[in-house]
Amino acid sequence: MNEKPLALLPELFLLGGAIGGLLLGVFLPRRRQYIVRIVAALALTGSVVTALLGARNLDGEVFSGAYNVDMGTSIARVVAATAALLLLAIASTELSGHPRETELYTLLLLGTLGTVLLAGADDLLFLVAAYLLASIPLYGLAALAKDGSGTESALKYYLMGAFFGIVLFTGTVVLYGVGRSTRYSDLVGSLAAAPRGAVALGGIGVLAGLLFKLGAVPAHFWVPDVAEGATTTVAAFVTTVPKVGAVLAIYRLIDVPLSHAPGNWRLIVAILAAATMTLGNLAAFFQDSVRRLLGYSTISQAGYLLMVPVVAGRNDLALPSLALYVSAYAVTNAGAFAVVAAARTGPKLADWRGMSRRSPALSLALLVCLLGLVGTPPTGVFVGKLTVFTAVAQGGYGWLVVVAAVNTVASLFYYLRWLAPVFRAPEDKGAAVSFSWSTRAAVTVAALSVAVGLGAGVVIAAVSG
Amino acid sequence: MSIELFLLIAAGLFSVGLFGALSQQSIVMLMMGLELMANGVLLAGGAFWRLVSPGSPDGQVLLIVVLVVMAVEMAMGFAVTSAIFRARDVDLTDMATDLKG
Amino acid sequence: MTVLSVLVFLPLLAAVVLGSLQGRLRGRNATWVWVAVSGVELLLTVGLWIGYDGGHGADYQERVRWIPGVASSYHVGVDGLSLPLVGLTALLFFVCAVYSLGVGRSRANFAALFLFLETTALGLFVSLDLLLFFVFFDLSIVGMYFVIAGWGHTGAARAALKFFLYTFLGSLALLLGFIGLYVASAPHTFDMVTLAANPPLEGRPLLAGLVLLALGIGLAVKTPLFPFHTWLPPAHTEAPAAGSAILAGILLKMGTYGFVRIAMPMLPEAWSRWSGVVLVVAVVSILWGALVALAQTSFKRMVAYTSVNHMGYVLLGLGAAGATGGDDAAKAVAVTGAVTQMVSHGLVTGALFLLAGVMWERRETYEMDTYGGVAALAPRFALLLAVASFASLGLPALSGFIAEFQIFAGSLGPAPVATALSLLGILVTAGLFLWALQRVLLGASRSAGRRFADLRAFETASIAPLVLLSLVIGVAPRWLLDVIEPAARTVVAAVSGR
Amino acid sequence: MDAVIGGVLGAVAVLAGAAVFYVNSMARATYSLLVSFLAVAAMLVLLGSTYVGFLTVLMMTVEMAIMGVFMVMYMMNPAGLMPMSMRHNTRGALVISAGTFLVLSVGVFAVRWPTRIGKPSRDVTYDLGAALMGRHMLTMIVIGTALLATMVSGVMLTSARGRYDRYGDELDRRSPTDPVRGGVGR
Amino acid sequence: MTVALWLLPVLPLFAGAVLAAASPFWPDVDRVASPVAIGVALVVLVLALVAAVGRPSVRAPLLPGGDAALSVDGLSAVLIVTVAAVTLLVLLFSSVELPSGDARGRFFGFMLLFTGAMLVTVTTTTLVVLLASWELMGAMSYALIGFWWRDLERVRSANLAFLVTRTADLGQYLAAGAALAGAGSLAFGALPQASSGWRTVITAGLVVSALGKSAQLPFSFWISRAMAGPSPVSALLHSATMVAAGGYLLLRLRPLLETSSWSGPTVAWAGATTALALGAVAVVQSDLKQLLAASTSAQIGFVVLAAGVGATAGGTAQLVAHAAVKSALFLTAGAWLSSRGTKALRSLRGVAREDRVLGPAAIVALLTLAGIPPLSLWLTKDSVLAAAREQSLGLYLTGLAGSVLAAVYAGRALAIVVTVRRKGDAPDPRDIEEEPTGRVGSLAVASVVALAAAGAVLGVQSMPVVADRLARSIGGNRSVPGLFELALSALVAAVVVLLLLRARGALPAGSAAWRPLRGWLGLEALALRGVLQPTLALARGLARVDDGILDRAVDGTAVLLRRAAGLASAGDSRGVDGSVQAVALGTRRLGALARRPQSGQLHQYYAQAAVALVVLLLVVLIGQ
């Protein structure tokens, strides 16, 4: 028994923040719930800091091999918590003073915790538990506003989640059945000799559950609906944070238990990646709703993320590239949603016409974020994409890189469909968007997305050790 | 006791549940379908424990986890259903199709 | 921080300042800032040229770690291939700034955008790292998109989108090629100097061919070469004058520069092996560009198509350098000619597009048939247009001749058939420019009573230097060729494996 | 003998499961589901996992009761007084689920399942407890946290009126104002 | 001395460029242009004399293998003096005869630029500089032919002249490339050493470019259109310099021609044929300038013939003598055009009788052109023919026939301008092109006289004593015509001229047969119909392909689809751009398709997910 509670300090910060915030919030007047936000921010900061400190000296497997504090987990800890921190900025403008603001922060922290645990899961049972923790709070969050579209999105999100949860159980049970254990370290050996059909069913089941968290094909259906229906903060959260844990969990799944198992799992993931990015892009093409467009865009981004597990463990660049991409993606996507939150404009693309006159700063931030999502240098996503492409090409999946490159070009089209009206002359002189705190936050996040690119060397060096 | 028998029954339960999940309009009925699927999984888990690796309690833990998770998910399902019913008087999935495209 | 970094990032700094000050600048102050900064850039470039040490390898090198994980660094430097283009960039941006002084109202964003573009262009030409190169390559597309979309004519949005999508596709292909180079190199690196010194993929023809294909498509779109050129005419037709001048004068060079800087030294075997294809593309671009230009009725579209033709000459020289026959001395002449052609085309086409801008300013149309007899109304305009046209058609004593003569003379040995066919290009070009001059300038003034004001001071001051420099290169090219030739010889030596 | 009992129980479980979607009243459907669960619980007991089997019985009985309450509360058709079909895409669902069954059952017989290794310990339930408290403690902690999350979000979603509705934005009311008097805190 | 050689071309080039470019910025340049230009021409003449005596060579680096090298040898010495002198006289003439309203800065600027280019051409020793000056001459001829640019017909003539000569110039580009490939150098001296395959290309390319510049067959027609320029332009370009450059180049490249067996005869035959055919064309012209233009081609034909048979000295003598004579005649034609308002032969009846000084000068020049002894062309032509006879009788007879035709056209012109005007011979009003001034400036007359006199006496070059020295200086073999040949040609020329004088210049009827001759053998029409129009048609076709369906995309998808279907069946290309558009259309469809699963119906999400999972499962099972 190697229980090292201090090894889980970042997770404890999140849990503590959630519980503490909840308890505190119960006694706070509605307008002063920002105190909970501060608590949450402190918890997240503490989590990031301790995670960064912990990354210097990784503890490895803790709690009888259920949880693995390795580089992958550290990435998830830092990125998920940082992204959540950025999203607090959106929340602060959108939902300040909301009657359920305290619950929002509590659930945000719990969801983040679930994501981090998902990434570190080294045991199928633990994975199931983490899946639960990473999902449940988000269902609640989606319906936070309790309006028609919010609850509808929550319903769909929940029902999809429940379905894929059962698929995940199925996979877990079958893998347990043929592998005689739920621990990854045991499964590496036992699955290698296990019957092919059973491993196929089990592997697909577990993978499917994680694909749901990632928002990838064929479990992507909830993404656009939630992106449109939920509040901006929540939409940003569910399309950003869970992906971090999910992709790292898939990475680990391919890298460890399925590495020697029968079946060409890397190819399966490659196909899924290609399908996901292509479908996301195509569906986004002629989308008129800004939020749905962003939703589909996150699907396509999930496809790019999914490229890395294809070469999990195959070369030295795989994990660093994933770290870079996932952090850049998280920041950039959060930035795009932050702009949407700050702009306070209609839901359609056409409503953005003339935004460059109304708020040049916001338009610039949007430009940086959207072009960043495309992968235009020197933003972080560019470097991320580049390193991902390189790692995947090095791993012998050149065709996947070509597909991804073509998709990247295609994606440009719909991002430009959004940008074009922004920089067009307005039909009528809409009210100028004041250079408010939320604008400042959006601009900061956009700048951060460029900073990730410029400071990519630091990230890679840190991850490579 | 052959494992194939139990697994076949589990597969049957799973498939019946899947049918329900796919075909039921009512959210609650749909959730019953999901429960049936989980029921099959539960049975398969029990069979695997006993007939493959009874030596370790992992299988038992697995069953507990499945059971608990199932319950939690159902609880959450009721909550979500309540919320949407309150918000827009919806109890059928076909009535919640505003978000699409 | 060496002089190169200052050179590259000074315009960016100015752009940021201008962007943040927008609205607070009265009159033409923003444009004056632009003129001042680009003037400083020009002086810096002159200093750079004077201090240039034409030895082996790149001068003024600077290297800072950027992404050590993929062996990529902020590595810049200039050599004989890039220095002429750096000079061209500085001059052309300065000239565009001066030209814009004549455009009245303050345009802080416009100036900021051009300064941003100047950073990308200079940065690209001095990059000695593939990733850095790509960063600037892509950003140039973004900047130009906004120039076209923001300040273009009526169909600008559509043309800009087409430009963006098309060239972005190209840039992605380029990125794939870069990744291919990285993956194939041992140890993995994105550093151009290392890659050129130790070319990867030697002895692996299939992979090398694929990587070259990716690079080739990426660069061909940007250059543009047949059949990837269709974004060019609408982009030019809709872009504002200064935008067209920069697009044709500088941005197109990024493609051809990529060939000579990246594709040839880093994939010498593949370049040799596939030089036949390169030559075919070159010849088709030359003839296609010239013939389609001949059929145009719009002056600006015509000039745009001649760019396809002229870039075809560049590729002809580079392709010939990869052909099997011929000796290295002749090939070096061809490559020197190709680089000279880049500079020459920048000067001449820049001037032609600015003159097209003058036409638009006066009458809001590029249709040549609506003009006629302008020479009587605007002699200064006529003089500059005529000289620029003759420079473009390769008249001796102007830069185009020096460039094209070297390309043809050097290429004939290695690639006789392609060169002979390409020669027809200069004939068609001559015909189309004479015809254009006839339709625009000559004849009795068809538009009786319609005015065509002659060039104003700012316009003359911006266009005349380009034409004059073309004349200087045409008459006394040694100062330029002395810089280019050693680098050209290095490239040829790499490609021919000697 | 065990095989026969198992087969019978299995048939009961599947048939009762099928009946869930066959009967035309929600109440009957709920009972059918319960029967199916009970049959499976019995099979679990048969398989030797007595504790889990009984746990299933307890949980499912309660859950079905809750489901009944739930239907009374919201669904307005508690006892199937108005028989109605609430299905869609029946044929597609049938094809997919039949196909799934086909694939799974072929798999069941095609796969060479691993042979049994080891024997159940004397006190399975004790071992289970030890595992929960030992090796799987972290998992259980996480599930506990998930329960917390479920409570928070469940309460948030189901409660029509939150604390600020009842006690005012400053939470300074002595007593909550509810439309129906006599709620919590009175 | 070397400074003089540098200055020789640089001075006129620089001055010309300044003068030509100044007027848009400084309109007053027109007033000072002619004095400046004449001053420059004078200095150039002095420099040319200095250089001719000193024979300097200079060199500066330009391109690898092709320095900017100038050198004066015997041949160049003769030519630079000729060029400088003719230029000076033509400029003197122009300074008084050019209408005062014309843009003098531009005119004199271009003339000086042209002279500079010609001086480079005759002194350079490398192909790159030769090509540069060669093309510059072409461009200047464009500028000067189109000098009156308000008249679009003249502009078209200028275009044609430039394009035709540039077509021939492509040969020189090829030659330069071949020289670099085959000899590794662009210097003239290295050309004969080139490997044999490349040497063939070099020779052929240079020969083609020379034939084009010299308006030899089949390029002759451009010189007809070149008459659209002012007469002084024709006097300089189309007699003494530009057309002479082709002949000069062939003379200069004699060592190269000698390295192959085919090139000499080819060149000789091209010259002889041109002398014959264009002589015939000249005979039937009704316009004095057209007659002179055709005769220029024919007379240069003798120079080309000389180069082909190796009679370098004879060819040079012919070149120089013809330059003087023809300049005089073109200037005369120009003087008559301004004083009489016409250049149509039928309206010029008896004009030589009316001008007391100009008339006799013109008569002497025409007699020289006819080959009447003892005037120069009689001697020079016969010395060329003598060399031809040594090689081939056919060549000799063709040349002889050409010289008979020379007598015919010169005699015809002479007969018209000297015979008395009878009733009905009044100038036809339709021929009057401009308002007659009625007078010719004395400076202009003086320059004509000087040129005519020089032309008449330059035959001394072919006198045995002089010719020997010339041959030693220039190189090449020297053939002295026999007495019989000289007498024969003199007799034939004299008889022909006398007969024509009797017939008052009238030609026998048969104009139908002469129509092709009048139309310059239909070469222009052939070029337009056979080359220009197909090229334009091709260009338009390609442009349509290039635009593809771009313009029509806005018309909507229906048109798009119809077109696509039509194009697919016709097998026609819908253009490069069209395919890009088609990709866009395809993705639009795919985009719609990709959104269809997102129906908003949860059970459909479930169904799709379930099916996808089963498929994935099967993929894992089936996949290796």
Side-chain angles (χ1 to χ4, degrees), chain C residues 69-337:
Chain C
V70 291
S72 175
S73 54
Y74 171 79
H75 189 184
V76 294
V78 286
D79 67 356
L81 300 176
S82 48
L83 186 58
L85 293 169
V86 168
L88 173 72
T89 307
L91 175 66
L92 214 52
F93 273 97
F94 175 68
V95 153
C96 283
V98 174
Y99 178 87
S100 300
L101 279 174
V103 188
R105 64 191 186 285
S106 177
R107 300 198 289 185
N109 285 340
F110 192 70
L113 213 47
F114 270 81
L115 286 166
F116 171 75
L117 272 173
E118 183 164 8
T119 287
T120 65
L122 290 171
L124 183 131
F125 291 132
V126 301
S127 292
L128 289 177
D129 183 278
L130 289 178
L131 280 196
L132 200 61
F133 181 95
F134 185 79
V135 167
F136 290 120
F137 191 90
D138 243 20
L139 288 180
S140 72
I141 302 174
V142 177
M144 187 47 74
Y145 170 79
F146 282 103
V147 169
I148 298 174
W151 285 270
H153 308 323
T154 45
R158 195 184 163 80
L161 189 64
K162 186 171 184 166
F163 159 79
F164 199 122
L165 286 176
Y166 217 140
T167 48
F168 204 85
L169 173 77
S171 80
L172 260 292
L174 191 66
L175 186 60
L176 288 186
F178 286 177
I179 291 175
L181 284 174
Y182 171 85
V183 170
S185 59
H188 298 317
T189 181
F190 279 112
D191 192 69
M192 289 190 192
V193 179
T194 318
L195 283 168
N198 186 15
L201 291 169
E202 296 288 272
R204 290 158 75 189
L206 178 69
L207 271 177
L210 283 175
V211 172
L212 182 62
L213 180 69
L215 291 179
I217 290 177
L219 297 171
V221 169
K222 186 95 178 179
T223 302
L225 297 166
F226 182 89
F228 304 110
H229 64 278
T230 52
W231 60 266
L232 184 73
H236 273 308
T237 316
E238 301 300 340
S244 281
I246 295 301
L247 177 58
I250 307 296
L251 265 61
L252 302 196
K253 306 303 170 299
M254 295 180 176
T256 47
Y257 176 72
F259 279 114
V260 66
R261 163 65 68 211
I262 296 167
M264 292 174 74
M266 296 179 199
L267 293 165
E269 275 186 10
W271 187 262
S272 272
R273 176 182 294 263
W274 297 102
S275 65
V277 177
V278 173
L279 288 171
V280 168
V281 171
V283 171
V284 174
S285 295
I286 289 169
L287 295 180
W288 187 278
L291 284 169
V292 176
L294 179 63
Q296 299 305 315
T297 56
S298 151
F299 182 77
K300 216 173 179 189
R301 269 180 89 87
M302 183 193 83
V303 178
Y305 275 108
T306 61
S307 292
V308 178
N309 163 275
H310 282 122
M311 293 297 100
Y313 295 137
V314 175
L315 199 66
L316 173 71
L318 301 182
T324 38
D327 65 349
D328 281 7
K331 288 177 176 176
V333 171
V335 173
T336 310

Side-chain angles (χ1 to χ4, degrees), chain C residues 430-484:
Chain C
L432 70 94
F433 271 112
L434 292 187
W435 195 19
L437 290 180
Q438 176 189 327
R439 283 185 282 181
V440 175
L441 296 182
L442 308 181
S445 186
R446 199 172 321 160
S447 41
R450 292 188 63 187
R451 289 169 35 98
F452 191 100
D454 206 350
L455 294 185
R456 290 189 294 264
F458 288 132
E459 290 164 344
T460 312
S462 56
I463 300 168
L466 297 177
V467 175
L468 277 179
L469 189 57
S470 173
L471 182 68
V472 168
I473 294 175
V475 172
R478 277 319 313 174
W479 60 276
L480 178 62
L481 300 184
D482 280 337
V483 168
I484 301 174

Side-chain angles (χ1 to χ4, degrees), chain A residues 259-301:
Chain A
S259 57
H260 297 94
N264 193 345
W265 290 98
R266 292 176 193 274
L267 180 67
I268 291 293
V269 177
I271 292 170
L272 286 170
T276 303
M277 62 180 85
T278 310
L279 188 113
N281 278 331
L282 286 178
F285 261 15
F286 298 99
Q287 195 54 254
D288 285 322
S289 157
V290 167
R291 304 266 214 101
R292 286 192 88 77
L293 190 149
L294 271 180
Y296 280 117
S297 124
T298 64
I299 295 178
S300 71
Q301 297 290 339

Side-chain angles (χ1 to χ4, degrees), chain A residues 331 365 439-449:
Chain A
V331 173
T439 308
R440 235 165 268 164
V443 171
T444 310
V445 178
L448 203 57
S449 81

Side-chain angles (χ1 to χ4, degrees), chain C residues 158 162 166 226-231 233-234 287-288 291-292 294-296 301 305 327 330 333 373 375-376 379-380 383 390 393-397 401-402 404-406 408-410 412-413 416 420 423-424 426-428 430-431 434-435 437-438 441-444 446 454 460 475 477-478 481 485, chain E residues 20-25 61-64 127-128 131-136 139-140 142 146 149-152 155-156 158-160 162-164 166-167 170-181 184 186 198 201 535-536 538-543 545-547 550 553-554 576-577 580-581:
Chain C
R158 195 184 163 80
K162 186 171 184 166
Y166 217 140
F226 182 89
F228 304 110
H229 64 278
T230 52
W231 60 266
L287 295 180
W288 187 278
L291 284 169
V292 176
L294 179 63
Q296 299 305 315
R301 269 180 89 87
Y305 275 108
D327 65 349
V333 171
R380 283 196 288 276
L383 175 72
F390 274 95
L393 65 81
L395 188 74
F401 172 78
I402 290 293
E404 284 166 23
F405 179 85
Q406 292 191 80
F408 291 134
L412 190 77
L423 276 174
L424 295 175
I426 63 169
L427 196 59
V428 180
L434 292 187
W435 195 19
L437 290 180
Q438 176 189 327
L441 296 182
L442 308 181
R446 199 172 321 160
D454 206 350
T460 312
V475 172
R478 277 319 313 174
L481 300 184
E485 272 165 8
Chain E
S23 64
F25 304 96
L62 180 66
L63 298 181
L127 274 177
V128 54
L131 181 49
S133 59
W134 196 260
E135 288 242 283
L136 200 58
M140 289 310 119
Y142 162 82
W149 48 262
R150 283 181 176 79
D151 181 356
L152 277 183
V155 174
R156 284 191 199 103
N159 290 350
L160 186 101
F162 183 69
L163 287 178
V164 172
R166 191 167 216 202
T167 307
L170 297 188
Q172 227 171 71
Y173 277 98
L174 278 179
L180 204 59
L186 294 166
W198 289 120
V201 178
T535 308
L536 279 177
L538 178 67
R540 296 206 173 99
L542 292 183
V545 170
D546 205 80
D547 284 343
L550 177 66
V554 286
V576 180
D577 202 47
V580 175
Q581 296 285 339

Side-chain angles (χ1 to χ4, degrees), chain D residues 24-52:
Chain D
N24 53 10
S25 133
M26 272 203 191
R28 284 175 210 146
T30 312
Y31 288 126
S32 301
L33 186 62
L34 184 58
V35 169
S36 179
F37 269 109
L38 292 178
V40 168
M43 288 167 84
L44 288 177
V45 173
L46 191 70
L47 282 168
S49 38
T50 328
Y51 175 75
V52 179

Side-chain angles (χ1 to χ4, degrees), chain A residues 325-417:
Chain A
Y325 195 95
V326 88
S327 50
Y329 163 72
V331 173
T332 315
N333 198 46
F337 276 101
V339 173
V340 172
R344 299 177 194 283
T345 179
K348 297 287 172 195
L349 287 182
D351 299 330
W352 285 74
R353 178 154 184 172
M355 181 55 80
S356 62
R357 302 281 168 86
R358 293 164 56 199
S359 175
L362 216 48
S363 308
L364 201 65
L366 185 70
L367 177 73
V368 169
C369 288
L370 292 191
L371 288 183
L373 286 175
V374 176
T376 308
T379 59
V381 176
F382 160 69
V383 186
K385 224 170 218 177
L386 173 92
T387 46
V388 166
F389 285 9
T390 307
V392 173
Q394 240 176 305
Y397 284 82
W399 65 267
L400 186 59
V401 176
V402 173
V403 171
V406 171
N407 264 294
T408 302
V409 177
S411 71
L412 188 62
F413 178 74
Y414 57 84
Y415 291 122
L416 285 185
R417 275 189 73 231

Side-chain angles (χ1 to χ4, degrees), chain A residues 214-291:
Chain A
L214 186 62
V217 169
H220 64 282
F221 294 101
W222 58 272
V223 180
D225 293 351
V226 175
E228 186 183 1
T231 57
T232 311
T233 307
V234 175
F237 186 83
V238 300
T239 57
T240 307
V241 176
K243 288 190 201 295
V244 179
V247 73
L248 282 160
I250 294 176
Y251 185 97
R252 199 184 294 276
L253 188 70
I254 300 297
D255 191 23
V256 185
L258 292 179
S259 57
H260 297 94
N264 193 345
W265 290 98
R266 292 176 193 274
L267 180 67
I268 291 293
V269 177
I271 292 170
L272 286 170
T276 303
M277 62 180 85
T278 310
L279 188 113
N281 278 331
L282 286 178
F285 261 15
F286 298 99
Q287 195 54 254
D288 285 322
S289 157
V290 167
R291 304 266 214 101

